[in-house]
Amino acid sequence: MMRTFEGHDSHVGSLSWNQDFLSAGGGDSTILQHDIRASSHVATYTGHTQGICGLKWNDEGTTLASGGNDNVVCFWDAAMSRRSSRNSPTSIGSTVSPQFMLTDHTAA
């Protein structure tokens, strides 16, 4: 079985799995959170100003770290996207902001 996920306006630079969720970081500076059981993405993570070049979920599946070409590292709370998808089942693609941002980097 093959499935196509849509939503980015540019290339996908990084992917990371967390149970039934696939996080996709794009060249359009957003991260789309896909629930593989749903027909469309459930959340859009916004916080970077340039393309996403790295994604990694922690072992517990509670926090996603993202690195961008803007030299920023963002940390995202998984509960925020799950809460968004439960509270707004008809509003596909709720926007989530980072929990923390590290901005003192000089290279991606």
Side-chain angles (χ1 to χ4, degrees):
M1 178 197 276
M2 183 163 40
R3 179 147 177 211
T4 301
F5 293 102
E6 297 181 1
H8 282 292
D9 293 332
S10 183
H11 69 279
V12 172
S14 187
L15 296 169
S16 188
W17 282 99
N18 179 14
Q19 299 173 18
D20 292 324
F21 291 92
L22 176 62
S23 303
D28 58 3
S29 78
T30 64
I31 301 166
L32 298 182
Q33 184 78 336
H34 298 277
D35 183 336
I36 62 171
R37 302 162 296 182
S39 61
S40 185
H41 69 279
V42 296
T44 302
Y45 292 8
T46 59
H48 288 281
T49 59
Q50 293 184 27
I52 310 301
C53 55
L55 293 173
K56 175 68 173 131
W57 282 98
N58 69 341
D59 291 339
E60 294 80 17
T62 57
T63 303
L64 175 67
S66 63
N69 291 330
D70 54 4
N71 300 324
V72 172
V73 176
C74 294
F75 296 92
W76 313 86
D77 182 1
M80 295 304 293
S81 61
R82 289 188 183 116
R83 199 171 303 130
S84 295
S85 65
R86 276 197 311 269
N87 291 341
S88 304
T90 59
S91 176
I92 302 298
S94 299
T95 302
V96 177
S97 297
Q99 188 175 22
F100 301 107
M101 295 176 77
L102 302 176
T103 60
D104 292 335
H105 296 279
T106 57

